[in-house]
Amino acid sequence: MEAAKNPKVRQAGGQVVDKAAVLAGKATKGKHLDKIERAREEARKRLDKRP
């Protein structure tokens, strides 16, 4: 997957993950922030580990 090697693509993916976490927090009215934050961190790790 060539696109995953591009730093700009990784940065954009990270921004999408961060925005999704913010929206999830708003949708749950802050009730599940700990779970949302763990999911966000895991998604960011996986983006960073891409070859």
Side-chain angles (χ1 to χ4, degrees):
M1 197 167 184
E2 278 303 307
K5 293 180 183 179
N6 186 327
K8 288 183 181 181
V9 172
R10 286 185 180 182
Q11 182 180 9
Q15 290 173 345
V16 170
V17 167
D18 292 342
K19 287 181 183 181
V22 169
L23 289 174
K26 287 180 182 179
T28 62
K29 297 180 180 158
K31 292 182 182 178
H32 304 287
L33 290 178
D34 56 331
K35 293 177 184 176
I36 293 167
E37 182 59 23
R38 281 188 298 218
R40 186 195 68 79
E41 288 175 7
E42 185 62 31
R44 293 298 299 250
K45 280 187 211 173
R46 290 175 186 243
L47 279 172
D48 292 341
K49 285 185 181 179
R50 288 281 175 146

